[in-house]
Amino acid sequence: YAHLVDIKRITELRELRAEGGALRIGGAVTHRELERSPLVRAGWPDFVEMERRVANVRVRSTGSLGGNLAFADPHSDPATFLLAAGADLELGAAGERRTVALKDFILGPYETALAPAELLCAIWLPAMTDGAAMSHLRFAVHERPAATVSAWVFVSEGRVSAARIAVGSVGVMPVLVPSAVELVGQAATSLDAELLDAVGRAGAEASEPVTDPNGSDDYKVALVRTLIGRAVIEAARRAATRTRDAV
């Protein structure tokens, strides 16, 4: 290529604001800005917790959330978390805009739904309402995660009303776990161990782990099963606490 263009100077891509209850994150906002933002800490504390564990301070100070997602590295904390959170992406080119769910954006390793002339303009993170909470767990030999699991749980009257689980970093792309719906109706503070194990097995299968320097596919299956159970329990605990705080 003849030219290198620095898009971080585009004002719109640097904006970070709450809008309609959701958090709009400009595509060039850095991980460091997100983890240090009072706005994000107040409304999306679980997101801040995840961001603080991305790579290292030098990477977080330079790298943007939009860049992370557009690169579509299979080993990504933000992609797994935002998939479970139900995030949408705002894409733009030549004055046109379209919204794509994150689950439809990442098509494979280093492959996305971005058209040749499009930019990832913003990430929309849904509001974390009373009774909802997330937990993000990761396993890493070095800074790059070898396995990531995120759980979003909504609790009402002491029971799980809705749940989403995403698994990433073990296969070629992050995926949602279809069997997460089986958690609905469970008591938030005493989730059935056998059910959690069944959901964990389904999650490991859905993520299609591949053997690489981080471990064999069998090892990753066992790892994912364990992380899913722990992530769901922690998310449910947080959600139940926030439900009580809201009463």
Side-chain angles (χ1 to χ4, degrees):
Y1 296 99
H3 303 283
L4 179 64
V5 179
D6 182 5
I7 63 173
K8 287 188 175 181
R9 297 188 180 187
I10 300 175
T11 303
E12 181 188 348
L13 299 182
R14 304 287 303 168
E15 292 179 343
L16 176 63
R17 67 177 188 271
E19 184 175 319
L23 180 67
R24 187 183 188 277
I25 305 167
V29 174
T30 67
H31 300 288
R32 187 67 168 161
E33 289 171 323
L34 289 166
E35 70 172 284
R36 300 181 70 180
S37 165
L39 170 67
V40 184
R41 286 202 305 270
W44 293 267
D46 304 323
F47 180 55
V48 169
E49 181 182 291
M50 180 277 298
E51 282 286 354
R52 284 176 175 163
R53 301 171 69 189
V54 172
N56 55 58
V57 172
R58 182 178 64 179
V59 169
R60 295 197 300 275
S61 298
T62 304
S64 67
L65 180 61
N68 178 284
L69 297 175
F71 187 48
D73 187 329
H75 300 267
S76 168
D77 287 283
T80 306
F81 182 96
L82 292 171
L83 185 60
D88 291 324
L89 306 183
E90 183 181 324
L91 313 181
E96 297 181 355
R97 295 294 173 95
R98 66 186 178 112
T99 301
V100 177
L102 181 59
K103 65 182 180 63
D104 300 319
F105 178 74
I106 299 176
L107 305 179
Y110 311 105
E111 182 182 4
T112 72
L114 274 170
E118 279 187 321
L119 288 178
L120 199 170
C121 300
I123 300 96
W124 288 89
L125 182 59
M128 292 300 291
T129 57
D130 293 333
M134 293 189 67
S135 175
H136 177 78
L137 298 181
R138 72 200 303 264
F139 178 82
V141 178
H142 301 292
E143 291 174 347
R144 196 163 176 251
T148 48
V149 169
S150 291
W152 174 92
V153 174
F154 183 80
V155 171
S156 176
E157 298 181 351
R159 294 191 173 274
V160 176
S161 296
R164 284 193 300 269
I165 303 169
V167 178
S169 307
V170 295
V172 297
M173 59 187 288
V175 298
L176 287 169
V177 180
S179 62
V181 296
E182 296 178 14
L183 297 169
V184 173
Q186 289 285 305
T189 55
S190 58
L191 289 161
D192 182 81
E194 290 187 5
L195 177 58
L196 284 176
D197 186 59
V199 173
R201 291 197 304 271
E205 182 178 349
S207 63
E208 299 183 354
V210 296
T211 297
D212 61 18
N214 290 318
S216 67
D217 56 347
D218 289 339
Y219 170 73
K220 292 180 180 180
V221 165
L223 188 60
V224 168
R225 285 176 61 180
T226 299
L227 291 179
I228 285 179
R230 293 177 179 176
V232 170
I233 289 172
E234 177 59 20
R237 183 194 65 79
R238 293 179 182 182
T241 299
R242 293 172 190 175
T243 301
R244 289 195 296 272
D245 291 344
V247 175

